[in-house]
């Protein structure tokens, strides 16, 4: 294996607007390779120089203007070489709104070696595509310096992911916010009552004036408000003020500026009122205090809702076994699941969860695999059977050998796929990102214009009204709702899909599924069970079913043909004892024959029967009917006399007809693409009501068929399970792999159906439509809320006898905006296809 060269300087400024980068390049073997890579790089626009070193396997490039790293990597790969890259995931804290998301992305993308970065507010994760060798600690340091502490998402050698830690952090955050909320509410309530109660109940105003006194009331309000801002409200200033000083204001900055403006004005009015124009010395302590209370309430509800959005992942994590009983050195030890090694021999008692993936060495039991397959019927497990970690052993005791442990188990893979899908950014998010990048600075500009406008054109007391309306603008703006609108719906939608047995390997598939016009399916293993079965046994007069089936199975047991295995399996399913076979012969192109219980048994096609002198006309009508159903008719003769007609077929899965009908109800065309003969394919299509059949195709032909259907109908979903389906899965707009299929098919797919049930496809498409509708609702609310209420808060309706918004009302509206988005996304947890 070629080692990746260390990267001393991935991307560094050289002089002026010139930047430079050193890229690792693998696959170069000679001077010609060096020249080829240099020529590919120097052709790129903006590149001023390119130098390739064969010994260190690096390419040093310099360029003017914007970065050319993505284009440089593409050029190197097009030339036939590779630039090793890796994906890293960071858990990023202290992000509160969409502006934070944009800022973290911009910071990461500017760092040496970072090719791309995507940040998700709901999962609090940043996923960066970086050159191999990039210093991850440097990325964490620069984010922490910017006010967003980061740490790597641990990929441990256990099944446990970072989901438990994230869930625990959400719980801790909820508890902390709840405590802060109660303290702030208790301190703010007297302030609100003393200041606003008098407007509602004149008697209360009189009581305060008589028993407390006007100035004492102001001093008490000042003390209580100071405690609210310096205590529970301190978090807004600790985060918002530094962000403002870095010229990167966020949601906390809006709250900090708004409350400090109200508080500072009130301090001047209380202690040096002569500094203010006549009749403008009003106090707004209650606004500053209540704003903090209401925003803390919104943050608390938001933290609780965020915890619920990741509930599906948490449920998967809770399924994992915590310990295992392992035989080591002749002694059985109960050890932590993280210490189980591949090859360990493990004891599993009745009622326990299978600790890791493995194979049965001894014992017989039934295992509940419904968490993976969705099938409620337990599966029998005997020696040699495969076991899936975290499924539940039922009656019997099993001795198993671990084959996959830690992050390699099926459940760990499922959790990882769901997390990746939840962290994805859909194409619809691009518009949101562009808007939120400038949202907070724009709001601060609007607030400043509002203040100036009221000072210049507002009625008296102009200063007070200018302050109140500017604060209302700052407080009512809600970038949080815009930042949460898409990722929360994706989190809940992908989690619900996992609960339904549909794994979205790529989050983008969630948006693409709803646009599909045609669903193309492979036949074998997708529409059908993928294994031949004995479907019919029609007897000639004078023969008994059990005895004849046992004789036929005994002969076929000597053959390795899949059709032969179907007959043997049928006899075993009926618990028939197979008699002894003598003089077995396999006659190429004809069939098989043997002596069984003193009689000669011949099995084969109709032409073999004709050679034996047997007239198959007895079964002519049935043969035509069975052939029309896509079944293969065979015949059996005993001592030269026709005894039975046998029909073998790869049967249609019981759930397939309902799945095809569901796809038709969604308005989709259904096509079947198969390598089987046209006659069988047409028979299956007629039974299922499939609209179009493409038969007798090679794997390459499947890709051509997919391209033709895409050109004819539009966006296409392809469903398959085999190695030969991988190219078609990759070509399709959305590739769906049957979870019981091959690893190659699953790796090529965007969506995996864990149960092997085709009904997962209409479920996934219906969920896609519901999720995208949910996202549109959230985005409409988030944008409409800000577009409608910011002008109202600025007082644009006031000249037309319209209302003015109190900063307290603005704070309540802002808090509820985020809660609405989260609550709406959580509705997807109840989705039923």
């Amino acid at each position: 294996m070629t080692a990746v060269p260390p990267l001393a300087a991935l991307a560094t400024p050289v002089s002026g607007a010139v930047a430079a980068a050193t890229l690792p390049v693998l696959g170069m073997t000679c001077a010609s390779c060096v020249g080829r890579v240099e020529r590919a790089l120097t052709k790129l626009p903006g590149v001023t120089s390119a130098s390739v070193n064969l010994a260190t396997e690096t390419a040093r490039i310099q360029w003017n203007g914007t970065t050319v790293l993505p284009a440089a990597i593409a050029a190197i790969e097009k030339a036939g070489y590779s630039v090793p890259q890796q994906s890293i995931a960071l858990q990023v804290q202290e992000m509160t709104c969409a502006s934070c998301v944009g800022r973290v992305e911009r910071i990461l993308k500017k760092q040496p070696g970072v090719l791309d970065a995507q940040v998700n507010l709901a999962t609090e994760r940043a996923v960066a595509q970086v050159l191999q060798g990039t210093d991850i600690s440097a990325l964490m340091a620069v984010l922490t310096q910017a006010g967003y502490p980061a740490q790597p998402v641990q990929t441990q050698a256990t099944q446990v992911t970072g989901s438990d830690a994230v869930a625990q952090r959400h719980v801790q955050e909820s508890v902390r916010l709840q405590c802060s909320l109660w303290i702030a509410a208790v301190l703010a309530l007297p302030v609100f009552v003393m200041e606003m109660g008098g407007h509602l109940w004149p008697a209360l105003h009189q009581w305060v004036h008589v028993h407390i006194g006007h100035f004492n009331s102001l001093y008490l309000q000042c003390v209580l408000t100071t405690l609210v801002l310096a205590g529970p409200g301190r978090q807004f200033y600790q985060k918002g003020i530094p962000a403002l000083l870095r010229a990167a204001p966020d949601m906390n900055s809006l709250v900090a500026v708004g409350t400090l403006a109200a508080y500072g004005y009130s301090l001047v009015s209380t202690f040096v009122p002569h500094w203010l124009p006549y009749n403008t010395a009003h106090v707004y302590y209650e606004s500053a205090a209540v704003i903090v209370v209401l925003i803390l309430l919104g943050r608390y509800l938001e933290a609780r809702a965020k915890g619920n959005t990741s509930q599906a992942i948490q449920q998967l994590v809770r399924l994992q076994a915590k310990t295992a009983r392992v035989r080591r050195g002749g002694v059985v030890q109960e050890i932590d699941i993280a210490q189980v090694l591949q090859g360990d021999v493990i004891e599993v008692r009745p009622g326990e969860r299978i600790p890791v993936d493995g194979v049965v060495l001894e014992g017989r039991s039934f295992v509940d695999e419904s968490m993976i397959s969705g099938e409620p019927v337990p599966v029998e497990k005997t020696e040699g059977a495969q076991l899936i970690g975290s499924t539940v052993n039922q009656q019997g005791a099993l001795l198993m050998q671990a084959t996959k442990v830690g992050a390699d188990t099926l459940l760990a893979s499922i959790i990882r796929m769901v997390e990746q899908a939840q962290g994805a950014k859909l194409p619809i998010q691009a518009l949101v990102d562009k808007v939120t990048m400038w949202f907070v600075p724009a709001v601060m500009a609007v607030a400043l214009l509002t203040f100036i406008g009221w000072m210049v054109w507002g009625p008296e007391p102009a200063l007070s009204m200018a302050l109140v309306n500017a604060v209302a603008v700052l407080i009512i703006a809600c970038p949080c709702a815009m930042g949460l609108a898409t990722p929360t719906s994706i989190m809940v939608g992908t989690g619900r899909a996992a609960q339904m047995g549909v794994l979205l390997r790529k989050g983008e598939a969630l948006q693409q599924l709803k646009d599909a016009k045609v669903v193309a399916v492979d036949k074998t293993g997708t529409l059908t069970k993928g294994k031949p079965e004995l479907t019919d046994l029609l007897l000639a007069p004078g023969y008994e079913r059990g005895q004849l089936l046992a004789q036929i199975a005994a002969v076929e047991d000597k053959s390795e043909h899949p059709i032969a295995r179907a007959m043997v399996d049928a006899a075993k399913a009926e618990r028939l004892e197979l008699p002894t076979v003598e003089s077995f012969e396999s006659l190429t192109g004809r069939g098989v024959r043997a002596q069984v219980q003193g009689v000669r048994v011949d099995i084969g096609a109709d032409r073999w029967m004709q050679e034996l002198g047997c007239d198959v006309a007895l079964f002519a009508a049935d043969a035509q009917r069975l052939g029309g159903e896509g079944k293969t008719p065979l015949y059996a003769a005993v001592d030269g006399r026709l005894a039975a007609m046998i029909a073998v077929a790869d049967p249609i899965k019981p759930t397939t007809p309902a799945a095809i009908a569901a796809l038709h109800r969604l308005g989709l065309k259904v096509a079947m693409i198969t390598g089987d003969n046209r006659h069988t394919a047409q028979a299956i299509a007629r039974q299922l009501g499939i609209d179009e059949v493409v038969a007798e195709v090679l794997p390459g032909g499947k890709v051509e068929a997919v391209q033709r259907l895409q050109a004819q109908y539009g966006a296409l979903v392809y469903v398959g399970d085999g190695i030969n389906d991988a190219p078609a899965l990759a070509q399709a707009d959305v590739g769906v792999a049957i979870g019981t299929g091959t690893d190659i098919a699953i790796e090529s797919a965007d969506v995996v159906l864990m149960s092997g049930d085709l009904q997962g496809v209409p479920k996934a498409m219906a969920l896609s439509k519901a999720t995208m509708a949910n996202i549109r609702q959230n985005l409409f609310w988030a944008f409409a809320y800000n577009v409608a209420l910011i002008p109202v808060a600025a007082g644009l309706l006031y000249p037309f006898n319209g209302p003015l918004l109190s900063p307290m009302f603005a704070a309540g509206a802002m808090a509820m905006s985020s809660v609405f988005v989260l609550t709406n996304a959580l509705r997807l947890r109840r989705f039923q296809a």
Side-chain angles (χ1 to χ4, degrees), residues 529-567:
K529 293 183 178 180
K531 181 182 178 183
E533 291 183 6
L534 178 67
T535 58
D536 301 86
L537 178 59
L538 306 179
L539 304 175
Y543 291 93
E544 190 269 324
R545 174 185 170 86
Q547 182 183 11
L548 184 59
L549 179 56
Q551 292 173 338
I552 292 171
V555 176
E556 293 289 9
D557 193 33
K558 301 297 182 181
S559 172
E560 294 300 323
H561 197 283
I563 289 179
R565 301 314 307 166
M567 300 180 204

Side-chain angles (χ1 to χ4, degrees), residues 385-432:
Q386 296 294 320
L387 295 172
I388 300 172
S390 302
T391 55
V392 182
N393 182 32
Q394 302 214 315
Q395 302 101 331
L398 294 172
L399 187 67
M400 64 172 286
Q401 184 173 44
T403 56
K404 291 184 179 179
V405 298
D408 295 327
T409 63
L410 180 61
L411 182 63
S413 299
I414 291 172
I415 293 172
R416 196 159 51 245
M417 279 193 278
V418 175
E419 286 182 331
Q420 288 170 354
Q422 288 184 337
K425 277 199 173 184
L426 303 191
I428 197 173
Q429 183 72 15
L431 173 63
V432 181

Side-chain angles (χ1 to χ4, degrees), residues 191-480:
V191 179
F192 179 80
V193 170
M194 281 188 288
E195 183 61 29
M196 301 303 295
H199 297 294
L200 301 175
W201 301 287
L204 177 62
H205 177 74
Q206 185 65 26
W207 185 91
V208 169
H209 184 74
V210 172
H211 292 86
I212 299 178
H214 175 69
F215 287 106
N216 287 336
S217 169
L218 294 182
Y219 299 149
L220 182 58
Q221 289 182 50
C222 176
V223 171
L224 291 173
T225 301
T226 301
L227 291 174
V228 170
L229 301 188
R234 185 172 68 249
Q235 56 188 291
F236 301 120
Y237 311 112
Q238 287 177 330
K239 300 171 186 175
I241 300 301
L244 193 61
L245 295 176
R246 291 193 301 267
D250 60 5
M251 185 69 222
N252 294 304
S253 303
L254 295 179
V255 176
V257 172
T259 53
L260 285 177
Y263 177 69
Y265 188 90
S266 301
L267 286 178
V268 173
S269 297
T270 302
F271 297 104
V272 281
H274 57 277
W275 286 6
L276 299 173
Y278 174 73
N279 202 29
T280 61
H282 305 293
V283 295
Y284 299 99
Y285 291 121
E286 85 289 348
S287 291
V290 174
I291 284 170
V292 169
V293 172
L294 291 174
I295 292 176
L296 284 173
L297 173 63
R299 292 275 174 92
Y300 167 65
L301 295 175
E302 185 179 313
R304 288 189 58 183
K306 275 185 180 179
N308 290 333
T309 59
S310 59
Q311 193 176 70
I313 286 282
Q314 294 165 33
Q315 288 174 349
L316 288 173
V317 171
R318 284 195 290 269
L319 290 174
Q320 299 170 115
K322 301 296 185 286
T323 60
R325 271 184 305 280
V326 178
R327 288 186 183 179
R328 288 181 181 171
V331 179
V332 177
Q333 312 171 40
E334 186 163 350
I335 62 175
D336 188 88
I337 195 70
Q339 298 174 334
V340 177
L341 304 175
Q342 188 174 348
D344 274 342
V345 176
I346 303 169
E347 293 183 356
V348 185
R349 295 172 182 171
E352 292 183 339
R353 289 194 180 274
I354 309 293
V356 294
D357 294 358
V359 62
V360 177
L361 297 178
E362 294 177 15
R364 179 177 178 273
S365 183
F366 286 84
V367 176
D368 179 2
E369 296 184 343
S370 57
M371 58 162 276
I372 299 295
S373 66
E375 298 293 336
V377 180
V379 181
E380 185 177 10
K381 300 292 182 180
T382 57
E383 185 178 340
Q386 296 294 320
L387 295 172
I388 300 172
S390 302
T391 55
V392 182
N393 182 32
Q394 302 214 315
Q395 302 101 331
L398 294 172
L399 187 67
M400 64 172 286
Q401 184 173 44
T403 56
K404 291 184 179 179
V405 298
D408 295 327
T409 63
L410 180 61
L411 182 63
S413 299
I414 291 172
I415 293 172
R416 196 159 51 245
M417 279 193 278
V418 175
E419 286 182 331
Q420 288 170 354
Q422 288 184 337
K425 277 199 173 184
L426 303 191
I428 197 173
Q429 183 72 15
L431 173 63
V432 181
D433 291 343
K434 290 179 181 177
V435 173
T436 54
M437 185 183 300
W438 301 103
F439 182 79
V440 172
V443 168
M444 300 190 84
V446 170
L448 179 61
L449 290 174
T450 299
F451 184 85
I452 294 172
W454 279 92
M455 283 295 294
V456 174
W457 295 292
E460 293 298 333
L463 179 60
S464 295
M465 298 192 75
L467 176 72
V468 169
N469 289 302
V471 170
V473 169
L474 290 171
I475 299 302
I476 204 165
C478 188
C480 301

Side-chain angles (χ1 to χ4, degrees), residues 497-534:
Q499 291 172 335
M500 296 165 65
V502 179
L503 293 182
L504 296 158
R505 294 188 67 247
K506 299 175 184 175
E508 296 84 350
L510 197 61
Q511 180 170 341
Q512 294 165 337
L513 275 169
K514 80 170 184 62
D515 299 322
K517 305 299 181 186
V518 58
V519 177
V521 293
D522 172 51
K523 182 183 79 70
T524 305
T526 303
L527 297 174
T528 65
K529 293 183 178 180
K531 181 182 178 183
E533 291 183 6
L534 178 67

